[in-house]
Amino acid sequence: MTGTDVALYRLDKTYAQLAREGAKVFRLTTSPMRAGDRLLMSYASGRPKCAIEAVVPHLREAGYQQDAAVRYAASDTCVSRPGLSGSALLSLDGNTVMGVNNTHNRDGESCTEGNPCEVGRDGTVTAVKGRGYGQQVHRIAACLTKGSRFDLRRCGGKK
């Protein structure tokens, strides 16, 4: 989880094959989420609307650091809780993956497992019970080659 908290899977079928079998195929954004963006958190029992309150320079939790995480607005119907990690954050049209829901501060503790804290550019640490966060995915598209193969060399990583 250093830098981000995203997992990628290699499938044995193409998007076209999956679509023919009835799977919903989503687009992947190439634009970062920004404060004020409106989204849908997609999970089995619903799609509540979310607003991005802020892009957090650093989010720390139990020794891991995630950069440019997004914080959901506190007044939203969009609530992150156990069991919803990995839920897609979709554009309002419901067709583009903008990010992935990943954590929330359970107990009000600071920077511990289940209690992420925000670290500002000046080093200020803030932890607020109930705050929920998601991860950006816009950089993934730059790593994809023709045929949607993942290549870390395309996006600055090592193979």
Side-chain angles (χ1 to χ4, degrees):
M1 289 192 329
T2 300
T4 191
D5 181 15
V6 174
L8 301 174
Y9 292 88
R10 182 184 316 232
L11 303 177
D12 61 359
K13 294 184 181 183
T14 67
Y15 293 133
Q17 289 170 322
L18 292 168
R20 280 194 300 273
E21 294 176 11
K24 169 81 173 165
V25 177
F26 297 91
R27 288 188 304 271
L28 184 62
T29 190
T30 57
S31 301
M33 291 183 281
R34 301 187 192 301
D37 284 354
R38 303 283 307 159
L39 308 165
L40 301 170
M41 185 186 290
S42 179
Y43 48 86
S45 62
R47 286 194 175 176
K49 289 185 178 177
C50 305
I52 301 304
E53 184 173 67
V55 176
V56 178
H58 307 291
L59 187 69
R60 290 190 186 146
E61 183 175 356
Y64 296 103
Q65 179 169 293
Q66 300 150 40
D67 302 321
V70 294
R71 177 190 341 129
Y72 310 131
S75 61
D76 262 344
T77 57
C78 184
V79 178
S80 181
R81 62 180 185 266
L84 298 181
S85 294
S87 297
L89 298 174
L90 302 175
S91 61
L92 291 179
D93 69 9
N95 293 315
T96 304
V97 177
M98 304 297 290
V100 179
N101 176 58
N102 79 312
T103 192
H104 74 286
N105 188 299
R106 247 189 344 237
D107 307 311
E109 294 177 12
S110 185
C111 308
T112 61
E113 182 73 33
N115 295 287
C117 64
E118 298 178 21
V119 181
R121 295 190 198 296
D122 64 356
T124 303
V125 175
T126 306
V128 177
K129 184 177 181 176
R131 275 194 178 163
Y133 301 92
Q135 294 297 297
Q136 307 250 16
V137 298
H138 67 280
R139 290 189 177 120
I140 295 171
C143 301
L144 300 176
T145 66
K146 187 175 182 177
S148 295
R149 296 213 179 264
F150 187 77
D151 185 348
L152 275 174
R153 293 174 295 197
R154 287 183 55 101
C155 51
K158 297 177 183 175
K159 187 170 182 180

